[in-house]
Amino acid sequence: MHYFDHAATTPPYPEVIQTLTDIMSLYYGNPSALHRAGEDAAKLLKKAREVCAAALSALPSEIVFTSGATEGNNMAIKGAAMHYQSRGRHLITAVTEHPSVYQAFRQLEELGWEVTWMPVAGDGTVDPAALAEHVRKDTVLVSIMHVNNETGAVQPLEDIGRRIKEKNSRVLFHVDGVQGFGKLPVSLQNWQADLYTLSAHKFKGPKGAGIMYVKQGVQLYPLIAGGSQEGGYRGGTENVAAAAAVAKAMRLSAERQAEFYERARRLRDILVHHIADMPELMLNSSEHGAPHIIHFSYPGLKPEVLVHTLEEGGFLVSTKSACSSKSSEPSRTLIEMGRNADEAASGIRISLGWEHTEAEVRELGAALKSAVAQLAPMTGRKG
């Protein structure tokens, strides 16, 4: 079976699996304990934090280990809103954000915060100048994702960060970096990001683990009250093995990012060429999008029909984001990009990883062409 759903999750590096096994077997002490086993675990945790920080050109004290990006995004958005509510109760985000960001802002709206929802252009990107016009004296936080999880649209973060800070230097800038890390260059300094969140299983790390970058001096209201672990932001005994595995995956992915970009871009272009050759399909991903995500619609056809037809041929792809793939509603992202309901309800996402070869991608292209022709009668078209 050929797996083409890397935007949903990636197979872990063998080195990550080995790290998890070794540390769970040998370093099971509680890092808060005062005895030797606890000290050994604490040293490992310290080293993991240093490695994660180095991958982001950050300080170790700016790294908070989390259970993944859903927790990180909620902690960044709600934690910032609650801690800085004396500055104001206005927030800004985009209409195409991942559900873990989108729903966090909806909750804050229900609690009385005012949210400006930025529209996107047909390619899925936000206009930085238009966003900056909405920044006010009472704006507390702006949150914009790096790479869209469905279409691969890449947001102009450096331009957005610069314009936000020029308008109001006290506004915090949060970036959901889940789909960008390891695939595209990351520069928190150039983006002027104050908060940045990652989920490890998107870059060949373990599930249920991630990190949040919190710029030195920024404060958050802790959502998980308890002990003083993770700088007091997140009470509870640290998962030392997961933290070390996250660090391993971050280091390997950062070192290989440029190579991955070139490799994935080449394979992506092959697939895009195949899709462009089929008039039944409509490409939703931009030429300037991320190298590993290709998204298209097959109007008139339920996407699960094409997914299962390709699966019968040995290829695993997805409909939209993994967090909403079981919903029958049209894609919110595609609707906001100007697609009609039929186009937005028939989206297919193909996402690439290190394991793919040119031959495998060409096989997928051929299988897709065969499936589209086979299913055309169901859409009223001739096969």
Side-chain angles (χ1 to χ4, degrees):
M1 193 65 75
H2 304 279
Y3 180 77
F4 280 91
D5 197 13
H6 284 245
T9 196
T10 54
Y13 289 114
E15 296 94 326
V16 166
I17 297 172
Q18 191 61 53
T19 295
L20 280 168
T21 302
D22 291 346
I23 295 180
M24 290 183 72
S25 302
L26 301 173
Y27 297 94
Y28 46 79
N30 187 325
S32 297
L34 298 178
H35 49 62
R36 181 175 299 175
E39 291 177 351
D40 289 345
K43 288 177 182 175
L44 279 175
L45 195 62
K46 179 175 182 286
K47 180 62 178 176
R49 206 180 306 278
E50 291 171 352
V51 172
C52 293
L56 296 175
S57 299
L59 300 171
S61 59
E62 295 175 322
I63 302 298
V64 177
F65 289 109
T66 68
S67 65
T70 293
E71 179 191 332
N73 287 337
N74 274 269
M75 190 188 300
I77 295 163
K78 297 177 191 173
M82 295 172 72
H83 183 84
Y84 292 103
Q85 55 186 309
S86 61
R87 292 183 179 178
R89 293 172 72 86
H90 177 237
L91 311 163
I92 301 175
T93 190
V95 290
T96 53
E97 295 294 312
H98 184 273
S100 61
V101 169
Y102 186 85
Q103 295 300 338
F105 278 99
R106 287 294 187 205
Q107 285 187 318
L108 288 170
E109 275 189 321
E110 292 172 1
L111 294 173
W113 268 267
E114 180 186 355
V115 178
T116 296
W117 297 90
M118 291 303 303
V120 297
D123 65 355
T125 59
V126 170
D127 180 345
L131 188 152
E133 288 180 4
H134 291 279
V135 174
R136 314 183 318 212
K137 289 184 178 178
D138 64 338
T139 303
V140 173
L141 174 79
V142 174
S143 179
I144 300 292
M145 67 195 333
H146 187 188
V147 173
N148 185 270
N149 51 299
E150 284 186 52
T151 67
V154 179
Q155 298 293 351
L157 296 179
E158 186 171 345
D159 197 4
I160 291 172
R162 178 177 58 79
R163 290 175 184 273
I164 291 170
K165 299 295 183 176
E166 284 177 352
K167 190 76 177 288
N168 182 349
S169 61
R170 295 208 308 170
V171 173
L172 299 178
F173 185 27
H174 166 244
V175 175
D176 172 359
V178 168
Q179 293 292 349
F181 183 82
K183 284 83 176 179
L184 293 166
V186 171
S187 178
L188 303 181
Q189 291 70 33
N190 288 342
W191 300 345
Q192 301 190 52
D194 300 288
L195 299 155
Y196 177 72
T197 39
L198 291 178
S199 196
H201 71 105
K202 306 291 188 178
F203 51 87
K204 300 175 79 63
K207 294 181 180 63
I211 67 143
M212 178 171 61
Y213 160 83
V214 183
K215 186 177 179 180
Q216 192 172 40
V218 172
Q219 298 294 314
L220 301 174
Y221 187 89
L223 303 187
I224 303 177
S228 59
Q229 294 91 345
E230 297 305 301
Y233 292 129
R234 185 177 192 265
T237 302
E238 297 95 338
N239 186 338
V240 178
V246 170
K248 178 81 74 174
M250 280 193 74
R251 181 177 64 78
L252 293 172
S253 295
E255 289 174 351
R256 304 177 72 189
Q257 180 271 312
E259 182 186 356
F260 177 84
Y261 180 90
E262 294 300 326
R263 179 186 175 87
R265 174 61 70 178
R266 188 169 63 252
L267 299 181
R268 177 189 187 277
D269 289 345
I270 294 172
L271 268 176
V272 167
H273 179 75
H274 278 281
I275 292 169
D277 201 34
M278 290 177 254
E280 299 89 344
L281 306 184
M282 183 180 71
L283 190 66
N284 295 311
S285 294
S286 161
E287 179 186 354
H288 306 292
H292 64 300
I293 296 178
I294 305 101
H295 193 282
F296 62 90
S297 296
Y298 190 176
L301 187 76
K302 291 184 177 179
E304 56 266 32
V305 177
L306 184 54
V307 167
H308 293 314
T309 301
L310 287 173
E311 184 171 1
E312 289 171 3
F315 297 91
L316 302 179
V317 302
S318 63
T319 52
K320 40 191 175 181
S321 73
C323 291
S324 52
S325 62
K326 293 182 180 177
S327 168
S328 59
E329 294 296 314
S331 162
R332 169 170 51 84
T333 295
L334 294 183
I335 290 290
E336 298 293 351
M337 289 169 60
R339 308 300 190 260
N340 64 38
D342 187 22
E343 294 163 349
S346 58
I348 297 290
R349 182 182 67 182
I350 296 171
S351 45
L352 303 168
W354 274 105
E355 297 79 4
H356 297 132
T357 64
E358 183 174 328
E360 192 178 14
V361 166
R362 292 191 185 281
E363 287 178 28
L364 172 58
L368 180 59
K369 186 173 185 179
S370 175
V372 166
Q374 175 189 335
L375 299 171
M378 297 177 65
T379 66
R381 299 185 178 93
K382 294 181 179 178

